[in-house]
Amino acid sequence: MIRIAPSILAADVLNLERDARRMIAAGADWLHVDVMDAHFVHNLAYSPETVRRLKEISPVPLDVHLMMDQPGRYLDVFLDAGADVLTIHTEIGGDIGGMLDKIRRRGAKAGLALKPGTGLSAVIPWLDQTDLILTMTVEPGFGGQKLNEAVLEKIAELRDRGYRGEIEADGGIREDNLARLTAKGLTVAVMGTALYRAEDPAAMMARLHEM
Ligand code: DX5
Ligand code: ZN
Protein backbone atom coordinates (compact mmCIF):
# COMPACT_ATOMS: atom_id res chain seq x y z
CA MET A 1 0.00 0.00 0.00
CA ILE A 2 1.27 3.47 -0.88
CA ARG A 3 2.29 5.55 2.11
CA ILE A 4 1.02 9.13 2.15
CA ALA A 5 3.15 11.86 3.73
CA PRO A 6 1.24 15.15 3.98
CA SER A 7 3.62 18.11 3.71
CA ILE A 8 3.20 20.63 6.49
CA LEU A 9 4.49 23.28 4.09
CA ALA A 10 0.86 23.52 2.99
CA ALA A 11 -0.43 23.91 6.55
CA ASP A 12 -1.45 27.17 8.22
CA VAL A 13 1.63 28.15 10.25
CA LEU A 14 -0.55 29.79 12.87
CA ASN A 15 -2.38 26.51 13.27
CA LEU A 16 0.39 24.02 12.68
CA GLU A 17 -0.67 21.68 15.47
CA ARG A 18 -4.31 21.70 14.39
CA ASP A 19 -3.35 21.03 10.77
CA ALA A 20 -0.84 18.30 11.62
CA ARG A 21 -3.40 16.58 13.84
CA ARG A 22 -6.00 16.88 11.07
CA MET A 23 -3.71 14.99 8.69
CA ILE A 24 -2.83 12.37 11.29
CA ALA A 25 -6.53 11.82 11.99
CA ALA A 26 -7.17 11.60 8.25
CA GLY A 27 -4.78 8.67 7.99
CA ALA A 28 -1.34 10.11 7.24
CA ASP A 29 1.37 7.43 7.26
CA TRP A 30 4.22 9.90 7.75
CA LEU A 31 4.39 13.68 8.21
CA HIS A 32 6.70 15.43 5.73
CA VAL A 33 8.62 18.41 7.09
CA ASP A 34 10.44 20.63 4.60
CA VAL A 35 13.52 22.50 5.75
CA MET A 36 14.74 25.31 3.49
CA ASP A 37 17.85 27.39 4.07
CA ALA A 38 17.40 30.23 1.51
CA HIS A 39 20.61 29.06 -0.20
CA PHE A 40 19.85 25.67 -1.67
CA VAL A 41 16.37 26.94 -2.49
CA HIS A 42 14.92 30.47 -2.59
CA ASN A 43 12.75 30.04 0.42
CA LEU A 44 12.99 29.61 4.19
CA ALA A 45 11.10 27.01 6.19
CA TYR A 46 10.93 25.10 9.42
CA SER A 47 13.55 24.57 12.07
CA PRO A 48 14.65 21.74 14.39
CA GLU A 49 12.29 23.22 16.99
CA THR A 50 9.34 22.63 14.64
CA VAL A 51 10.40 18.99 14.35
CA ARG A 52 10.81 18.69 18.12
CA ARG A 53 7.31 19.99 18.84
CA LEU A 54 5.68 17.93 16.09
CA LYS A 55 7.40 14.86 17.54
CA GLU A 56 5.53 15.45 20.80
CA ILE A 57 2.16 15.08 19.11
CA SER A 58 2.86 12.74 16.20
CA PRO A 59 2.29 8.99 16.45
CA VAL A 60 3.53 8.65 12.85
CA PRO A 61 7.14 8.99 11.64
CA LEU A 62 8.50 12.43 10.85
CA ASP A 63 9.99 12.58 7.36
CA VAL A 64 12.40 15.50 7.31
CA HIS A 65 13.56 16.82 3.93
CA LEU A 66 16.66 18.99 4.19
CA MET A 67 16.84 21.43 1.28
CA MET A 68 20.10 22.86 2.56
CA ASP A 69 23.59 23.55 1.24
CA GLN A 70 25.29 22.26 4.38
CA PRO A 71 23.06 19.64 5.98
CA GLY A 72 26.07 17.93 7.52
CA ARG A 73 26.20 20.61 10.20
CA TYR A 74 22.59 19.98 11.19
CA LEU A 75 22.13 16.21 11.08
CA ASP A 76 22.54 15.82 14.83
CA VAL A 77 20.12 18.58 15.72
CA PHE A 78 17.41 17.23 13.43
CA LEU A 79 17.99 13.68 14.69
CA ASP A 80 17.92 14.88 18.30
CA ALA A 81 14.69 16.71 17.49
CA GLY A 82 13.10 13.42 16.43
CA ALA A 83 13.48 13.00 12.67
CA ASP A 84 12.68 9.37 11.79
CA VAL A 85 13.59 9.75 8.14
CA LEU A 86 16.26 12.32 7.27
CA THR A 87 16.88 13.20 3.63
CA ILE A 88 19.71 15.23 2.12
CA HIS A 89 20.16 16.36 -1.49
CA THR A 90 22.78 14.82 -3.74
CA GLU A 91 23.43 18.14 -5.56
CA ILE A 92 25.28 19.56 -2.55
CA GLY A 93 28.28 17.30 -3.09
CA GLY A 94 30.76 16.74 -0.27
CA ASP A 95 30.77 13.62 1.86
CA ILE A 96 27.33 12.28 0.93
CA GLY A 97 28.24 8.74 1.96
CA GLY A 98 29.50 9.87 5.35
CA MET A 99 26.31 11.82 6.03
CA LEU A 100 24.06 8.90 5.02
CA ASP A 101 26.06 6.54 7.24
CA LYS A 102 25.78 8.92 10.15
CA ILE A 103 21.98 9.14 9.82
CA ARG A 104 21.75 5.34 9.84
CA ARG A 105 24.16 4.94 12.73
CA ARG A 106 21.87 7.12 14.76
CA GLY A 107 18.97 4.81 14.01
CA ALA A 108 17.05 6.87 11.46
CA LYS A 109 16.29 6.08 7.85
CA ALA A 110 18.72 7.77 5.45
CA GLY A 111 17.25 9.46 2.38
CA LEU A 112 18.91 10.92 -0.68
CA ALA A 113 17.00 13.40 -2.85
CA LEU A 114 17.50 14.59 -6.38
CA LYS A 115 15.97 17.52 -8.25
CA PRO A 116 13.97 16.94 -11.45
CA GLY A 117 16.92 18.02 -13.61
CA THR A 118 19.49 15.84 -11.83
CA GLY A 119 20.25 12.52 -13.49
CA LEU A 120 19.94 9.24 -11.67
CA SER A 121 23.72 8.77 -11.92
CA ALA A 122 24.00 11.31 -9.09
CA VAL A 123 22.47 8.86 -6.59
CA ILE A 124 23.68 5.51 -7.96
CA PRO A 125 26.99 5.42 -6.01
CA TRP A 126 25.13 5.60 -2.68
CA LEU A 127 22.10 3.38 -3.23
CA ASP A 128 23.35 0.78 -0.75
CA GLN A 129 23.73 3.46 1.90
CA THR A 130 20.17 4.73 1.55
CA ASP A 131 16.81 3.58 2.84
CA LEU A 132 14.95 5.98 0.60
CA ILE A 133 15.44 7.87 -2.65
CA LEU A 134 13.41 11.06 -2.96
CA THR A 135 12.74 11.93 -6.58
CA MET A 136 11.60 15.56 -6.66
CA THR A 137 8.73 15.97 -9.08
CA VAL A 138 8.92 19.80 -8.96
CA GLU A 139 11.80 22.25 -8.49
CA PRO A 140 12.24 22.32 -4.72
CA GLY A 141 11.29 25.47 -2.87
CA PHE A 142 7.56 25.95 -3.11
CA GLY A 143 4.34 23.99 -2.91
CA GLY A 144 1.54 24.18 -5.45
CA GLN A 145 3.59 23.50 -8.61
CA LYS A 146 2.83 21.10 -11.46
CA LEU A 147 4.31 17.61 -11.44
CA ASN A 148 7.12 17.02 -13.94
CA GLU A 149 6.10 13.86 -15.81
CA ALA A 150 9.65 13.14 -16.99
CA VAL A 151 10.52 12.08 -13.43
CA LEU A 152 8.33 8.98 -13.73
CA GLU A 153 11.01 7.34 -15.84
CA LYS A 154 13.59 7.87 -13.09
CA ILE A 155 11.39 5.95 -10.67
CA ALA A 156 11.00 3.15 -13.21
CA GLU A 157 14.74 3.03 -13.85
CA LEU A 158 15.55 2.86 -10.14
CA ARG A 159 13.30 -0.19 -9.83
CA ASP A 160 14.76 -1.67 -13.02
CA ARG A 161 18.16 -1.43 -11.39
CA GLY A 162 16.82 -3.48 -8.52
CA TYR A 163 16.55 -0.73 -5.90
CA ARG A 164 14.53 -2.18 -3.01
CA GLY A 165 14.37 0.81 -0.67
CA GLU A 166 11.56 3.31 -0.45
CA ILE A 167 11.05 5.56 -3.46
CA GLU A 168 9.36 8.81 -2.56
CA ALA A 169 8.15 11.60 -4.82
CA ASP A 170 7.55 15.18 -3.74
CA GLY A 171 5.75 17.98 -5.54
CA GLY A 172 2.59 18.31 -7.59
CA ILE A 173 1.14 14.93 -6.58
CA ARG A 174 -2.65 14.74 -6.79
CA GLU A 175 -5.35 12.15 -6.83
CA ASP A 176 -5.32 12.10 -10.63
CA ASN A 177 -1.61 11.39 -11.09
CA LEU A 178 -0.71 9.19 -8.11
CA ALA A 179 -1.59 5.90 -9.79
CA ARG A 180 0.89 6.62 -12.60
CA LEU A 181 3.63 7.05 -10.00
CA THR A 182 2.80 3.92 -8.01
CA ALA A 183 2.73 1.93 -11.26
CA LYS A 184 6.42 2.83 -11.69
CA GLY A 185 7.33 1.70 -8.19
CA LEU A 186 6.65 4.67 -5.91
CA THR A 187 6.08 3.72 -2.26
CA VAL A 188 5.79 7.11 -0.50
CA ALA A 189 3.89 10.11 -1.84
CA VAL A 190 4.42 13.56 -0.36
CA MET A 191 1.32 15.69 -0.80
CA GLY A 192 0.85 19.29 0.24
CA THR A 193 -1.70 21.33 -1.65
CA ALA A 194 -3.89 18.45 -2.80
CA LEU A 195 -4.55 17.18 0.73
CA TYR A 196 -4.70 20.48 2.56
CA ARG A 197 -7.14 21.94 0.03
CA ALA A 198 -9.29 18.83 0.01
CA GLU A 199 -12.76 19.26 1.47
CA ASP A 200 -12.48 15.86 3.15
CA PRO A 201 -8.82 14.83 3.52
CA ALA A 202 -9.77 11.55 5.25
CA ALA A 203 -11.96 10.48 2.35
CA MET A 204 -9.24 11.45 -0.12
CA MET A 205 -6.59 9.59 1.89
CA ALA A 206 -8.79 6.48 1.94
CA ARG A 207 -9.11 6.62 -1.85
CA LEU A 208 -5.35 7.15 -2.25
CA HIS A 209 -4.63 4.15 -0.07
CA GLU A 210 -6.83 2.04 -2.35
CA MET A 211 -4.71 2.92 -5.40
C1 DX5 B 1 8.69 21.47 -2.39
C2 DX5 B 1 8.42 20.72 -1.13
C3 DX5 B 1 7.19 19.89 -1.09
C4 DX5 B 1 5.90 20.61 -1.20
C5 DX5 B 1 4.93 19.74 -1.94
O1 DX5 B 1 9.98 21.99 -2.33
O2 DX5 B 1 9.53 19.86 -0.89
O3 DX5 B 1 7.16 19.08 0.06
O4 DX5 B 1 5.38 20.95 0.04
O5 DX5 B 1 3.76 20.44 -2.06
P1 DX5 B 1 2.69 20.25 -3.20
O6 DX5 B 1 2.06 18.91 -2.98
O7 DX5 B 1 1.77 21.39 -2.98
O8 DX5 B 1 3.41 20.32 -4.52
ZN1 ZN C 1 9.75 18.05 0.59
Side-chain angles (χ1 to χ4, degrees):
M1 194 173 73
I2 184 80
R3 272 192 280 275
I4 307 293
S7 172
I8 63 155
L9 197 62
D12 173 2
V13 281
L14 291 184
N15 290 286
L16 209 50
E17 178 179 6
R18 179 200 68 189
D19 283 4
R21 285 189 193 278
R22 191 173 281 168
M23 288 299 148
I24 292 162
D29 298 284
W30 292 358
L31 286 185
H32 187 79
V33 184
D34 285 314
V35 178
M36 305 184 185
D37 68 350
H39 288 268
F40 185 74
V41 290
H42 298 294
N43 200 0
L44 275 166
Y46 303 126
S47 68
E49 181 65 5
T50 317
V51 174
R52 194 180 69 76
R53 297 306 308 279
L54 284 171
K55 188 71 184 173
E56 292 174 1
I57 64 153
S58 179
V60 302
L62 298 182
D63 174 32
V64 180
H65 176 193
L66 300 180
M67 286 166 272
M68 306 177 73
D69 272 342
Q70 308 222 14
R73 295 182 179 180
Y74 296 91
L75 297 179
D76 279 319
V77 284
F78 280 104
L79 291 162
D80 290 343
D84 298 282
V85 183
L86 193 56
T87 297
I88 60 172
H89 266 265
T90 192
E91 293 87 0
I92 57 167
D95 186 12
I96 300 282
M99 289 185 255
L100 294 169
D101 287 346
K102 175 172 188 163
I103 295 168
R104 277 184 159 181
R105 269 201 313 276
R106 292 221 30 202
K109 284 192 198 308
L112 189 58
L114 70 171
K115 296 186 194 180
T118 302
L120 214 48
S121 58
V123 301
I124 300 298
W126 296 288
L127 289 185
D128 289 344
Q129 284 157 276
T130 65
D131 301 293
L132 174 148
I133 298 292
L134 170 48
T135 54
M136 291 299 302
T137 30
V138 299
E139 276 308 314
F142 298 90
Q145 305 180 71
K146 193 175 174 307
L147 178 133
N148 180 334
E149 296 278 341
V151 178
L152 271 80
E153 285 321 305
K154 270 191 227 176
I155 297 170
E157 197 188 326
L158 258 179
R159 288 298 180 214
D160 285 348
R161 286 175 172 271
Y163 185 65
R164 313 242 316 241
E166 306 279 2
I167 302 181
E168 179 177 49
D170 184 1
I173 303 178
R174 306 180 342 184
E175 199 171 350
D176 63 5
N177 58 26
L178 180 63
R180 290 208 295 284
L181 293 156
T182 53
K184 300 291 185 191
L186 192 81
T187 52
V188 187
V190 176
M191 292 175 76
T193 313
L195 273 173
Y196 277 95
R197 296 256 171 89
E199 217 148 279
D200 185 347
M204 180 182 280
M205 203 99 68
R207 290 192 300 271
L208 300 171
H209 279 139
E210 291 293 310
M211 286 185 182

